[in-house]
Amino acid sequence: MSSSTVSRVRRQWPLSPWLFAAPGLLIIGAFILYPFVSTLVNAFTDKRTLIPGEFVGLANFRELLHDDMFWIGLRNSTLYVLGVVPALVLLPLLLALLVQKNIPGITFFRSAFYTPVVASIVVVGLIWVWLLDERGLINSLLETVGIGRIGFLSDQWLLLLSAMAVTVWKGLGYYMIIYLAALANVPRELHEAAAVDGAGAVRRFVTVTVPAVRSTMALVGALSSVAAFKVFSEVYLMAGPSGGPAGEDTTLVMLVQRTGTGLTGRVGYASAISIVVFVVTVALMLLVLRADRRAET
Amino acid sequence: MPISRRILAVAAVCAVLPLSGCGSGDDGGSSDASGRIEGDITFQTWNLRANFKDYFDGLIADFEKKYPGTEVKWIDQPAEGYADKISADAAGGTLPDVVNVSPDLVAPLAKAGLALDLDKAAGQYKKEYLDGAWASHRIPGMTGTYAFPWYLNTGPLFYNKSLFEEAGLDPDQPPKTYDELFTDALELAKKSDGKVATLANVPTVEDFGRYGVPLMNPEGTAFAFNDAKGVELLTKYKELYDAKALDPQALTATPESSGKKFLTGAVAMNPGSALDLGNFKKQAPNLYKNIGITDQITSTGHVNMYVMGVMVNAQTKKKAASVAFAHYVTDAEHQMSFAKKVAIFPSTAGSLDDPYFTKEDGTDETRVRIAAAKSLKNAVNYTPVLFSEQMKTALRNEVAKALQGKESPEEALDNAVKACDTLLRQQG
């Protein structure tokens, strides 16, 4: 089609580009923009599930400051990021290095490590609850070897740690695949040159592998920190709907769900918590990406 | 390009409007249910299709035959997230015409003007039901009754006779009151060196009720379970928790998880219903051989009962047909036939005197049914209708703090009452 034909078509069909974009725009508008704007607006109202509510300014945010449960949620979500992200940045990289080699049967191990990723989180959660129960397999083994039973699911901190372990276990395979792709692009010559210079495996990992996959590590860090801050399923399944003993394992997203749903849900207040979650996750993303840029320069 | 902008604006409005959650915009508000019984209505149940499809298909077919020109579309929702489904429908203006509800679900719907006042619209049927059952769907602070009472339920308490025997307790003399329960539970924990707990759940608002604690003030405007008796109950539970007579995971337990603990013999007592006997027989035959069945623990002499209701959407365009169908589902004849299919109890006057609920035939199922029907005659629905899920969580969390020793029972209950009162005020 010549340029004159294109411009003629544009003149005749000024809507044609919009029509092509319309399906995507409608989906984005209905399922992303509208809920986002609606949440933003609701955060400044006292809207409840069945009552439209009125504008209350910053009242919801002021209430957050005095809500113990909000601070518990913020603490747990932050601890989750601190506990899970370093493990999810480092362990999948080590795993990827292990399964990178083309040795017989390695496909089996790659698939095995990836299996938890495709398993349903509900199934995974239930299996780990059975394993960690006071009378579960792990406690029975511990008792057999004389250590005694440990309250993985009844102690506030052990419960949170257990949930973190499940998140790491489930996420390993996913990030391993990302690292495998990155490692495939690391020039073999660099490793060979370092080896010729007498660098051992650890030194080659630090001086060759890590710099080569640093951007990928930043990406994994950003993705996993956002996911960790928004954690819901693992903690909900292991700690129960009340959020662990006395609600001490509640995370922010669990608090949003508990506060804002049901017939008596405080939609306005839950929206205010959602806005805090949004702001923190955006800040986390920017922080990680900025740290990566700074390291590059 | 003015035309394209205009069209885009129209398209955007069209996209957003369906999400705006407007009401159906019909003749809601009137309680007049007179007129011809005809038209299409929707009927929503709570997780009943899997086991009772034939019953409801027959019920609906009979109704449609009795009232030519009517058509009932049956919707069944899963148990999980039922309240969320109703709230989404209510907010979106798509609430079905006739809805299966419990009193705590009716309360916010009635306050939002979405539940039809049956005292006005169907007061002529009131005498067909037990007085207490009809009153169970009244909302403090409002006049009117907002759902037909449907089936009632109460459960016995199951106990593991062999665990009682091993602890030197008489397996044929299970505890009946809270004081007896606490004594036996401490003995069981002591004899088993803390390995066998008697209970796997922290006390709920129903426990406070059964212990004789006033739950709300007489006006229904504030909670009151932080009185001396409430503190006494929680103090006793703390003793149980410290002695491991209450399972250590009780703080995070759900009814399902405590049921499993009972099945595995980790817990000596667990509430349930006649339906559970079948499960025990299938899943834990050894437990079934040793199963003991007793009444709910109560210090008031009144057991707790659960009430199901059938509500009519106040916004329905087919009020006459909806009220007629809701009554049809809950009338004596149909409640009785439903009760014969499943271990529930009719809320209609005189039905509990039917030989089905009074005549022994030697089986455990019948024994449980007769005992439950007998206890229902003076049972109380202890769950306040205004007690929301958020309030349940607030109470549970404060109880957990007291059991862990982070707060005294007085502090914990004061905080729970304060939190529940705040939530009550926020409900409007």
Side-chain angles (χ1 to χ4, degrees), chain A residues 2-200:
Chain A
S2 70
S3 61
S4 62
T5 314
V6 171
S7 61
R8 199 167 62 244
V9 169
R10 275 193 188 145
R11 272 201 307 277
Q12 287 172 348
W13 299 95
L15 282 176
S16 55
W18 290 106
L19 285 176
F20 281 112
L25 286 174
L26 279 176
I27 290 169
I28 290 170
F31 297 108
I32 298 175
L33 284 179
Y34 174 75
F36 179 76
V37 173
S38 173
T39 304
L40 196 62
V41 171
N42 287 338
F44 297 95
T45 69
D46 61 355
K47 179 177 164 62
R48 278 161 282 157
T49 303
L50 299 178
I51 298 165
E54 288 170 7
F55 179 75
V56 292
L58 292 170
N60 287 328
F61 294 94
R62 275 197 296 272
E63 190 181 334
L64 280 182
L65 299 176
H66 305 288
D67 183 351
D68 292 344
M69 207 38 94
F70 168 74
W71 291 109
I72 288 172
L74 187 62
R75 178 196 71 195
N76 290 334
S77 294
T78 309
L79 283 176
Y80 221 84
V81 173
L82 295 175
V84 160
V85 173
L88 280 180
V89 170
L90 205 61
L91 294 180
L93 176 58
L94 299 176
L95 206 59
L97 286 169
L98 278 177
V99 300
Q100 182 195 22
K101 297 179 173 55
N102 278 322
I103 53 172
I106 197 66
T107 317
F108 168 76
F109 287 100
R110 286 177 188 166
S111 309
F113 292 135
Y114 194 73
T115 306
V117 178
V118 290
S120 150
I121 184 62
V122 177
V123 174
V124 167
L126 288 176
I127 289 171
W128 278 93
V129 165
W130 293 336
L131 288 173
L132 295 171
D133 188 89
E134 203 90 5
R135 290 181 159 234
L137 182 68
I138 292 174
N139 264 321
S140 300
L141 289 173
L142 289 175
E143 196 171 40
T144 310
V145 297
I147 294 175
R149 292 176 187 272
I150 296 174
F152 294 109
L153 302 180
S154 53
D155 178 84
Q156 166 196 347
W157 299 114
L158 285 176
L159 215 160
L160 201 64
L161 276 173
S162 304
M164 286 180 192
V166 174
T167 302
V168 171
W169 178 79
K170 192 168 176 359
L172 275 179
Y174 177 72
Y175 295 115
M176 177 192 78
I177 295 290
I178 296 178
Y179 278 126
L180 274 175
L183 286 173
N185 292 325
V186 180
R188 183 186 289 255
E189 299 79 36
L190 288 177
H191 277 285
E192 286 169 356
V196 169
D197 288 344

Side-chain angles (χ1 to χ4, degrees), chain A residues 14-15 18 25-26 29-31 34-35 47-51 63 68-69 72 130 132-135 139 143 151 153-154 156 159 236 238-248 250 257-266, chain B residues 1 3-4 7-8 11-12 15-16 19-20 80 83-84 86-88 90-91 104-105 108-109 112 114 195-196 241 248-249 251-252 254 260-261 264-266 388-390 393 396-398 400-401 404 406 423 425-428:
Chain A
L15 282 176
W18 290 106
L25 286 174
L26 279 176
F31 297 108
Y34 174 75
K47 179 177 164 62
R48 278 161 282 157
T49 303
L50 299 178
I51 298 165
E63 190 181 334
D68 292 344
M69 207 38 94
I72 288 172
W130 293 336
L132 295 171
D133 188 89
E134 203 90 5
R135 290 181 159 234
N139 264 321
E143 196 171 40
L153 302 180
S154 53
Q156 166 196 347
L159 215 160
Y236 186 87
M238 298 181 82
S242 60
E248 287 285 351
T250 302
Q257 183 267 346
R258 194 191 302 159
T259 314
T261 58
L263 284 158
T264 52
R266 297 182 64 204
Chain B
M1 287 179 285
I3 294 172
S4 62
I7 290 172
L8 272 176
V16 170
L19 300 165
S20 62
E80 190 76 17
D84 291 334
I86 287 188
S87 65
D104 58 317
L105 294 181
L109 291 168
L114 292 169
K195 286 199 173 113
V196 176
Y241 185 73
Q249 282 176 218
L251 305 188
T252 55
T254 58
K260 274 185 199 134
K261 288 203 176 256
T264 58
S388 65
E389 282 303 314
Q390 285 87 353
T393 304
R396 189 185 173 87
N397 287 347
E398 292 300 330
K401 284 179 194 169
Q404 289 174 313
K406 291 178 177 173
L423 288 165
R425 279 194 299 277
Q426 284 164 348
Q427 277 181 16

